[in-house]
mmCIF file with all atom_site columns, all heavy atoms in Angstrom:
data_model
loop_
_atom_site.group_PDB
_atom_site.id
_atom_site.type_symbol
_atom_site.label_atom_id
_atom_site.label_alt_id
_atom_site.label_comp_id
_atom_site.label_asym_id
_atom_site.label_entity_id
_atom_site.label_seq_id
_atom_site.pdbx_PDB_ins_code
_atom_site.Cartn_x
_atom_site.Cartn_y
_atom_site.Cartn_z
_atom_site.occupancy
_atom_site.B_iso_or_equiv
_atom_site.pdbx_formal_charge
_atom_site.auth_seq_id
_atom_site.auth_comp_id
_atom_site.auth_asym_id
_atom_site.auth_atom_id
_atom_site.pdbx_PDB_model_num
ATOM 1  N N   . LEU A 1 44 ? 72.205 -118.736 79.640 1.00 98.00 ? 44 LEU A N   1
ATOM 2  C CA  . LEU A 1 44 ? 72.061 -117.409 80.271 1.00 98.00 ? 44 LEU A CA  1
ATOM 3  C C   . LEU A 1 44 ? 72.001 -116.221 79.269 1.00 98.00 ? 44 LEU A C   1
ATOM 4  O O   . LEU A 1 44 ? 71.280 -115.329 79.486 1.00 98.00 ? 44 LEU A O   1
ATOM 5  C CB  . LEU A 1 44 ? 73.186 -117.160 81.336 1.00 98.00 ? 44 LEU A CB  1
ATOM 6  C CG  . LEU A 1 44 ? 73.114 -118.084 82.551 1.00 98.00 ? 44 LEU A CG  1
ATOM 7  C CD1 . LEU A 1 44 ? 74.402 -117.989 83.340 1.00 98.00 ? 44 LEU A CD1 1
ATOM 8  C CD2 . LEU A 1 44 ? 71.896 -117.717 83.438 1.00 98.00 ? 44 LEU A CD2 1
ATOM 9  N N   . ALA A 1 45 ? 72.885 -116.294 78.289 1.00 98.00 ? 45 ALA A N   1
ATOM 10 C CA  . ALA A 1 45 ? 72.884 -115.224 77.269 1.00 98.00 ? 45 ALA A CA  1
ATOM 11 C C   . ALA A 1 45 ? 71.599 -115.169 76.555 1.00 98.00 ? 45 ALA A C   1
ATOM 12 O O   . ALA A 1 45 ? 71.076 -114.096 76.200 1.00 98.00 ? 45 ALA A O   1
ATOM 13 C CB  . ALA A 1 45 ? 74.012 -115.431 76.384 1.00 98.00 ? 45 ALA A CB  1
ATOM 14 N N   . LEU A 1 46 ? 70.983 -116.339 76.143 1.00 98.00 ? 46 LEU A N   1
ATOM 15 C CA  . LEU A 1 46 ? 69.693 -116.370 75.532 1.00 98.00 ? 46 LEU A CA  1
ATOM 16 C C   . LEU A 1 46 ? 68.601 -115.862 76.413 1.00 98.00 ? 46 LEU A C   1
ATOM 17 O O   . LEU A 1 46 ? 67.717 -115.054 75.982 1.00 98.00 ? 46 LEU A O   1
ATOM 18 C CB  . LEU A 1 46 ? 69.395 -117.784 75.024 1.00 98.00 ? 46 LEU A CB  1
ATOM 19 C CG  . LEU A 1 46 ? 70.149 -118.367 73.874 1.00 98.00 ? 46 LEU A CG  1
ATOM 20 C CD1 . LEU A 1 46 ? 70.093 -119.815 73.762 1.00 98.00 ? 46 LEU A CD1 1
ATOM 21 C CD2 . LEU A 1 46 ? 69.812 -117.643 72.502 1.00 98.00 ? 46 LEU A CD2 1
ATOM 22 N N   . ALA A 1 47 ? 68.656 -116.183 77.649 1.00 97.00 ? 47 ALA A N   1
ATOM 23 C CA  . ALA A 1 47 ? 67.667 -115.687 78.609 1.00 97.00 ? 47 ALA A CA  1
ATOM 24 C C   . ALA A 1 47 ? 67.749 -114.181 78.788 1.00 97.00 ? 47 ALA A C   1
ATOM 25 O O   . ALA A 1 47 ? 66.718 -113.573 78.936 1.00 97.00 ? 47 ALA A O   1
ATOM 26 C CB  . ALA A 1 47 ? 67.844 -116.429 79.958 1.00 97.00 ? 47 ALA A CB  1
ATOM 27 N N   . GLU A 1 48 ? 68.987 -113.727 78.753 1.00 96.00 ? 48 GLU A N   1
ATOM 28 C CA  . GLU A 1 48 ? 69.213 -112.223 78.922 1.00 96.00 ? 48 GLU A CA  1
ATOM 29 C C   . GLU A 1 48 ? 68.444 -111.475 77.831 1.00 96.00 ? 48 GLU A C   1
ATOM 30 O O   . GLU A 1 48 ? 68.050 -110.359 77.963 1.00 96.00 ? 48 GLU A O   1
ATOM 31 C CB  . GLU A 1 48 ? 70.717 -111.955 78.751 1.00 96.00 ? 48 GLU A CB  1
ATOM 32 C CG  . GLU A 1 48 ? 71.336 -111.410 80.041 1.00 96.00 ? 48 GLU A CG  1
ATOM 33 C CD  . GLU A 1 48 ? 72.809 -111.067 79.782 1.00 96.00 ? 48 GLU A CD  1
ATOM 34 O OE1 . GLU A 1 48 ? 73.187 -110.723 78.675 1.00 96.00 ? 48 GLU A OE1 1
ATOM 35 O OE2 . GLU A 1 48 ? 73.562 -111.005 80.696 1.00 96.00 ? 48 GLU A OE2 1
ATOM 36 N N   . SER A 1 49 ? 68.288 -112.167 76.609 1.00 94.00 ? 49 SER A N   1
ATOM 37 C CA  . SER A 1 49 ? 67.775 -111.391 75.493 1.00 94.00 ? 49 SER A CA  1
ATOM 38 C C   . SER A 1 49 ? 66.212 -111.510 75.507 1.00 94.00 ? 49 SER A C   1
ATOM 39 O O   . SER A 1 49 ? 65.539 -111.114 74.570 1.00 94.00 ? 49 SER A O   1
ATOM 40 C CB  . SER A 1 49 ? 68.201 -112.044 74.199 1.00 94.00 ? 49 SER A CB  1
ATOM 41 O OG  . SER A 1 49 ? 67.745 -113.401 74.059 1.00 94.00 ? 49 SER A OG  1
ATOM 42 N N   . GLY A 1 50 ? 65.708 -112.110 76.566 1.00 95.00 ? 50 GLY A N   1
ATOM 43 C CA  . GLY A 1 50 ? 64.263 -112.082 76.793 1.00 95.00 ? 50 GLY A CA  1
ATOM 44 C C   . GLY A 1 50 ? 63.540 -113.404 76.414 1.00 95.00 ? 50 GLY A C   1
ATOM 45 O O   . GLY A 1 50 ? 62.369 -113.640 76.409 1.00 95.00 ? 50 GLY A O   1
ATOM 46 N N   . LYS A 1 51 ? 64.415 -114.490 76.071 1.00 96.00 ? 51 LYS A N   1
ATOM 47 C CA  . LYS A 1 51 ? 63.883 -115.796 75.743 1.00 96.00 ? 51 LYS A CA  1
ATOM 48 C C   . LYS A 1 51 ? 63.616 -116.610 76.936 1.00 96.00 ? 51 LYS A C   1
ATOM 49 O O   . LYS A 1 51 ? 64.250 -116.441 77.957 1.00 96.00 ? 51 LYS A O   1
ATOM 50 C CB  . LYS A 1 51 ? 64.797 -116.542 74.835 1.00 96.00 ? 51 LYS A CB  1
ATOM 51 C CG  . LYS A 1 51 ? 65.283 -115.807 73.614 1.00 96.00 ? 51 LYS A CG  1
ATOM 52 C CD  . LYS A 1 51 ? 64.201 -115.483 72.692 1.00 96.00 ? 51 LYS A CD  1
ATOM 53 C CE  . LYS A 1 51 ? 64.712 -114.760 71.400 1.00 96.00 ? 51 LYS A CE  1
ATOM 54 N NZ  . LYS A 1 51 ? 63.569 -114.415 70.498 1.00 96.00 ? 51 LYS A NZ  1
ATOM 55 N N   . ALA A 1 52 ? 62.604 -117.494 76.849 1.00 97.00 ? 52 ALA A N   1
ATOM 56 C CA  . ALA A 1 52 ? 62.372 -118.423 77.887 1.00 97.00 ? 52 ALA A CA  1
ATOM 57 C C   . ALA A 1 52 ? 63.244 -119.735 77.651 1.00 97.00 ? 52 ALA A C   1
ATOM 58 O O   . ALA A 1 52 ? 63.122 -120.338 76.616 1.00 97.00 ? 52 ALA A O   1
ATOM 59 C CB  . ALA A 1 52 ? 60.865 -118.894 77.889 1.00 97.00 ? 52 ALA A CB  1
ATOM 60 N N   . VAL A 1 53 ? 64.194 -119.964 78.593 1.00 98.00 ? 53 VAL A N   1
ATOM 61 C CA  . VAL A 1 53 ? 65.201 -120.879 78.271 1.00 98.00 ? 53 VAL A CA  1
ATOM 62 C C   . VAL A 1 53 ? 65.286 -121.980 79.373 1.00 98.00 ? 53 VAL A C   1
ATOM 63 O O   . VAL A 1 53 ? 65.195 -121.685 80.613 1.00 98.00 ? 53 VAL A O   1
ATOM 64 C CB  . VAL A 1 53 ? 66.674 -120.219 78.208 1.00 98.00 ? 53 VAL A CB  1
ATOM 65 C CG1 . VAL A 1 53 ? 67.737 -121.271 77.827 1.00 98.00 ? 53 VAL A CG1 1
ATOM 66 C CG2 . VAL A 1 53 ? 66.580 -119.101 77.173 1.00 98.00 ? 53 VAL A CG2 1
#
Side-chain angles (χ1 to χ4, degrees):
L44 289 169
L46 287 165
E48 245 185 27
S49 68
K51 307 297 183 183
V53 184

